[in-house]
Amino acid sequence: MNGNLDLAQRPLVVIWETTQACDLACVHCRACAQPKRSLLELTTEEARRFIQDVAELRPPIFILTGGDPLKRVDIYHLVEYAASLDLRPAMTPSVTPLLTRTAIQELKKAGLSRLAISLDGSRPELHDAFRGVHGAFSRTLEAICWANEAHLPIQINTCISKRNLHDLDNMAALLRQFRIVLWSAFFLVPTGRGQTADLPTAQEFENVFFDLNRLSKEVPFKIKTTEAQHYRRFLLQQRPGRARHGNGNGNGNGNDAAPVQSIPGVLPINDGKGFVFVSHTGEVFPSGFLPISTGNVRQQALTNIYRDSPLLRSLRDSSNLKGKCGECEFKEICGGSRARAFAMTGDLFAEDPTCIYKPKKWAQTSSSIAVAV
């Protein structure tokens, strides 16, 4: 990653929801996808103009997602067009009968740089329950094999929820059998079909962080997180000379109060900060999990929206954070999940309810209040 990337001017990641149409019925679906395409989707010509705009913004990562991008008949053309503009497009198709060996080969030929597919359990019954379709597990493993055959780099996305917390070691063992470049752990945000009952507790988040960090030293592929910004705080705490807190209380003998700015190779990405999501109708959101529109690419260039939107500018300003997040010494590298804070409190800037860490300032303030009482 380029540590010199100015996140106020240029996002690291642009995600385009090409369509909301999908033949799966995933229990945690952000988009509440349905089988038929919407008449309000960006047309092919509108999509080309949008891709031109993305190319001017030059994000290092451009992802075509859905729904299922393969529901668009023009998707191969759009991949080829994006590749011709040096965007190195990636895609997250759904694993349905549309994702054939031939489709994967054609995507590679069109210039797709990476294929990302979801696998949420190491066993058929666990993954298929996530996806709402019997046989999804076996088709997913088949698609991984086809991508390996085509020498198309493949990423595995896993939604972390209460349903599969116990399965991470088994998942890692399964993924070792394939040529995987990245395992991306997407931590549940209760929006769309995602249910609060499936959301892990703050302590369970912390336990998963321990597991992922341990596994990252054992597997031949990289591991990253999405909507778990506090994993960066956890990683910083694991550095030699810093506190290691299983309970996140911030009162160890490490130098937690020291200024924290970066982790080598990791940027302080957050919703609207280095990350932007464009819907199938052209609406621009801080992320796919934060459903507050800040403009539409049909009326305004994405470059202008990203750089000048009052909403996105406010999300990039850590002084707006409230509660523990506002007091936290890790807020510049973390900042908490703005999407999860909004989903659970209705406040964009509220503290992330799934972080167990107690900032030093917060702990001191709490102690003072207790003494006063």
Side-chain angles (χ1 to χ4, degrees):
M1 296 292 182
N2 183 1
N4 297 319
L5 186 65
D6 184 351
L7 299 180
Q9 297 296 310
R10 179 183 169 208
L12 174 73
V13 183
V14 173
I15 296 186
W16 174 35
E17 178 190 61
T18 59
T19 180
Q20 281 197 341
C22 180
D23 293 325
L24 297 179
C26 302
V27 295
H28 57 283
C29 181
R30 166 202 58 77
C32 294
Q34 55 187 357
K36 293 185 179 181
R37 292 177 58 191
S38 169
L39 297 176
L40 301 178
E41 287 176 8
L42 296 183
T43 66
T44 299
E45 285 308 307
E46 287 174 327
R48 284 173 60 92
R49 287 195 296 271
F50 163 64
I51 291 171
Q52 288 175 359
D53 191 18
V54 174
E56 291 179 10
L57 197 53
R58 297 183 301 110
I61 301 172
F62 179 48
I63 301 172
L64 284 69
T65 187
D68 181 7
L70 293 178
K71 296 285 274 190
R72 286 190 68 124
V73 296
D74 59 357
I75 198 64
Y76 299 97
H77 165 72
L78 295 175
V79 168
E80 185 174 29
Y81 185 62
S84 74
L85 298 178
D86 297 325
L87 278 173
R88 302 189 73 251
M91 182 186 290
T92 60
S94 300
V95 179
T96 74
L98 293 175
L99 188 64
T100 62
R101 176 188 272 115
T102 300
I104 290 174
Q105 292 170 343
E106 290 300 312
L107 287 169
K108 173 70 183 298
K109 187 184 302 183
L112 195 71
S113 67
R114 179 178 294 189
L115 190 72
I117 59 176
S118 294
L119 185 64
D120 298 306
S122 64
R123 308 183 310 278
E125 60 272 20
L126 183 54
H127 176 74
D128 290 1
F130 263 91
R131 297 294 146 183
V133 176
H134 179 72
F137 179 83
S138 59
R139 284 196 294 270
T140 298
L141 298 190
E142 194 171 44
I144 296 173
C145 290
W146 291 338
N148 285 170
E149 287 176 6
H151 300 287
L152 179 59
I154 189 160
Q155 166 182 327
I156 299 301
N157 298 337
T158 299
C159 178
I160 303 296
S161 79
K162 283 184 176 292
R163 295 169 181 253
N164 59 1
L165 291 175
H166 61 284
D167 197 46
L168 297 181
D169 282 277
N170 294 331
M171 279 286 297
L174 175 62
L175 295 181
R176 283 192 188 95
Q177 301 175 31
F178 304 95
R179 292 197 306 275
I180 304 297
V181 296
L182 179 68
W183 184 18
S184 184
F186 282 68
F187 284 71
L188 180 69
V189 175
T191 187
R193 291 197 192 109
Q195 299 297 310
T196 303
D198 286 335
L199 183 67
T201 65
Q203 183 62 63
E204 287 171 334
F205 264 71
E206 204 77 4
N207 295 343
V208 172
F209 293 166
F210 272 98
D211 290 339
L212 292 178
N213 187 44
R214 171 178 53 80
L215 289 169
S216 70
K217 299 176 176 64
E218 301 173 1
V219 297
F221 44 81
K222 293 181 179 179
I223 297 177
K224 70 173 285 291
T225 62
T226 296
E227 294 298 348
Q229 290 83 347
H230 40 320
Y231 184 51
R232 301 167 201 154
R233 178 267 302 163
F234 175 87
L235 291 178
L236 283 166
Q237 288 181 294
Q238 306 312 301
R239 285 181 172 183
R242 296 196 66 87
R244 292 172 173 81
H245 304 303
N247 60 2
N249 62 22
N251 295 319
N253 55 16
N255 188 21
D256 276 347
V260 176
Q261 298 299 329
S262 65
I263 301 173
V266 176
L267 288 170
I269 306 302
N270 210 320
D271 304 302
K273 180 183 179 183
F275 191 103
V276 69
F277 179 94
V278 180
S279 80
H280 64 296
T281 61
E283 295 291 322
V284 180
F285 300 96
S287 81
F289 302 101
L290 186 47
I292 302 177
S293 176
T294 187
N296 192 297
V297 298
R298 281 174 162 145
Q299 285 86 43
Q300 192 177 6
L302 180 63
T303 298
N304 295 337
I305 295 173
Y306 181 78
R307 293 176 178 171
D308 302 328
S309 158
L311 172 64
L312 299 185
R313 289 169 70 95
S314 68
L315 284 166
R316 294 194 284 266
D317 184 353
S318 64
S319 68
N320 289 319
L321 297 175
K322 302 176 184 177
K324 289 195 305 181
C325 287
E327 298 290 340
C328 188
E329 57 269 31
F330 295 99
K331 68 180 181 180
E332 298 300 335
I333 189 68
C334 173
S337 170
R338 297 301 93 218
R340 191 174 296 108
F342 180 74
M344 299 187 71
T345 71
D347 185 344
L348 283 170
F349 301 106
E351 65 185 58
D352 187 335
T354 59
C355 181
I356 200 170
Y357 182 69
K358 296 177 183 178
K360 186 173 182 180
K361 287 183 180 179
W362 188 263
Q364 289 173 344
T365 301
S366 299
S367 297
S368 298
I369 293 173
V371 170
V373 172

